[in-house]
Amino acid sequence: MGQKDSGFMMERRLKSWFWLLAAGAVLLVLGVERMASRTALGDGQVRAETTLRQTVNALDSHLGRFEALPALLAQDDDVLAVLASPQDEQRLQAMNRWLAETNALIEASDLYLINLAGDTIAASNHARPDSFVGQNFSYRPYFTAARDGGSGRYFALGTTSGVRGYYFASPVRDGAGRVQGVLALKIGVDAIEAGWRARDYRILVTDPEGVVFMSTDPGWLYRGLLPLTPERIERLATTRRYSDAALDEIQAVETTAGGVALLRLADGAGTTREYIAAATPMPRAGWTVRVLLETTPLRTQARLAVLAFALLLLVGLLLAWTLIQRRARLAERLAIQAAAQADLERQVAERTADLTRANEDLHRMQADLVQAGKLAALGRMSAALSHEINQPLAAARNYADSAGLLIDRGDLPRARENIGQILGLIDRMAAIARHLRNVARKPNEPLKVVDLAAVVQDSLAIAEARLTAARAEVLLDLPANLPTVQGGPVRLQQVIVNVLSNAADAVEGLADRRIEVVARTEGDEVTLSIRDHGPGVAPAIADRIFDPFFTTKQVGSGLGLGLSISYNIMKDFEGDLRVANHPDGGAVFTLVLRRAQREALAAE
Ligand code: ADP
């Protein structure tokens, strides 16, 4: 019971541990989820910043290639000459050709010469229908900056071409250092923009007013990332930066998550997405470059990783649960087994106690029985003895009395006769005493090698008188090669005489008074059977005839000691004495003897 309890206790303890573990796992998953999304966003930011640096560097070097060119070309004498004599058609044509050749050489978009009034007098694109020649650019900041002696830089949507471009402008000075005109260079940005496409991030370039000027996504172009205030719209209109393009605002919301700047933008189709935004200004160009990295794939990736982690944890937990269940079941089974074992042991102990008690009872009963038997035997023996002794004593007394009277009368011969009777009675009492001595015989006398045939002959001689008196007819069958047996010759003779006397008693007065004495060898044993043709032994008394003092004979005829003594003698010889009734009538007493082992026995 105790073991079973402790099994359940263990199970309960394990299970509470398990739930603790499970709760821990859930917390862990939540923590990991936070960490993973943070890490993913952080990684995204690093990537966005790296891309931003590369983009800005590429833009810078691209612009840098063209920056010094207008100032260099403006020093050409022909340029000043054309400005000085704008009516010289030949010079103008030559200038147009030179500009076109140079423009092709430096791979710019357009190269053109503007007079102080802002009118374009010669251009590389003079031959094209959308030629700049004749166009007035006085409103463009790059022109005004160069006309005023500085170097102009500007980016805008071309009012004539409708093509976006970056403009560099330099003053053309005469010998006295006075500005006579402006040499302008426009470079396209389409090629740069095209190089950005097909990447997993987006790039936005905005002007100081926050209007998107370059973008990987055409839907954002010419739209304000900052609110389009009236001042901003006013400024943009003055410089005609975006020509006639209609401006509107992009729906933008700035947020942060874990220190990462996020931007929510609606694209051209109106779908809002969240991006990691890395931004840096390019002061010389007047731009702000933004690299946008969509967070959805990052978050998805992070979630997938967390999901995988959670699944792994779940598998671990399930495994742990199964293990716990199995352990608990094992513990339970062991406890049940132990309980069953204890139960069995208790039952065995109980049975053993019962058996011990029963055994003790049996022993006590046996002891009681033996005691009772002893007392009974003693009683029977006392009765037999007193009878056996009183009778001859009484008779002896009578004989002695009459002997006295006969002596008084002088009849000596008859007195002597009486004394003779008294002596006979004394002899009988002496015989009883001898028998009693035999009852109290010394056991364990050493066994000897005995010649059975000789002992049988002697016994027959001793029993002769009794046999003759009963008129018995003895039929002897002793094989010539009868082996010797182990025993004591005198005691063996006593047994044989006893059985023969009983046989004589049995057949006395009957018609068939044959007594058959047969010796046989059977392996290690030699048997001597004595069969009479008397009434046999009744089954009811067959197992009592070997008891001491058991007799069916009249008091005075037998003491009932003969077979008891004989039986014990045969046992002393390591042999046996058995009784049976012959199928054809009569008792058969069989003496079973062991063949003598000469080496082991004392010679007679
Ligand atoms: P006793 O001869 O003094 O009675 P035993 O011990 O020799 O004592 O015999 C016990 C009893 O066994 C006898 O009283 C008799 O009833 C029975 N018995 C012995 N031998 C025979 C026999 N050959 N046939 C029938 N009964 C026998």
Side-chain angles (χ1 to χ4, degrees), residues 22 199 420 472 527:
R199 304 269 179 96
T527 59

Side-chain angles (χ1 to χ4, degrees), residues 279-337:
T280 190
M282 282 175 68
R284 278 204 303 164
W287 294 346
T288 298
V289 182
R290 277 187 179 80
V291 169
L292 304 180
L293 195 62
E294 222 183 301
T295 55
T296 313
L298 296 175
R299 287 192 196 275
T300 310
Q301 215 173 322
R303 284 212 188 99
L304 274 176
V306 172
L307 198 73
F309 176 72
L311 276 176
L312 217 72
L313 258 180
L314 195 72
V315 167
L317 281 174
L318 278 177
L319 217 73
W321 178 255
T322 321
L323 271 177
I324 285 169
Q325 289 284 71
R326 193 176 294 175
R327 264 190 83 150
R329 269 208 298 280
L330 194 76
E332 204 177 322
R333 213 162 50 224
L334 282 178
I336 288 170
Q337 268 175 14

Side-chain angles (χ1 to χ4, degrees), residues 514-578:
R514 280 178 298 162
I515 296 171
E516 286 139 28
V517 179
V518 180
R520 288 286 179 269
T521 309
E522 286 163 22
D524 256 3
E525 293 177 347
V526 181
T527 59
L528 182 74
S529 58
I530 298 166
R531 181 206 168 181
D532 58 55
H533 288 258
V537 180
I541 60 163
D543 50 355
R544 290 170 56 203
I545 58 172
F546 295 113
D547 287 351
F549 298 110
F550 177 81
T551 180
T552 58
K553 292 168 190 169
Q554 282 186 330
V555 175
S557 308
L559 284 171
L561 289 170
L563 282 181
S564 163
I565 292 166
S566 300
Y567 181 84
N568 284 308
I569 288 171
M570 292 311 291
K571 287 290 171 189
D572 287 346
F573 294 167
E574 295 167 5
D576 203 1
L577 179 59
R578 296 167 189 158

Side-chain angles (χ1 to χ4, degrees), residues 80-127:
L80 189 64
V82 169
L83 285 171
S85 51
Q87 274 70 48
D88 188 337
E89 197 57 37
Q90 223 174 341
R91 267 185 193 276
L92 274 174
Q93 289 310 322
M95 179 50 52
N96 275 336
R97 275 198 305 276
W98 180 75
L99 286 172
E101 280 163 18
T102 310
N103 185 57
L105 197 71
I106 61 175
E107 292 177 321
S109 171
D110 303 287
L111 186 61
Y112 47 104
L113 187 61
I114 308 167
N115 65 18
L116 286 175
D119 295 321
T120 307
I121 56 165
S124 57
N125 56 19
H126 61 95

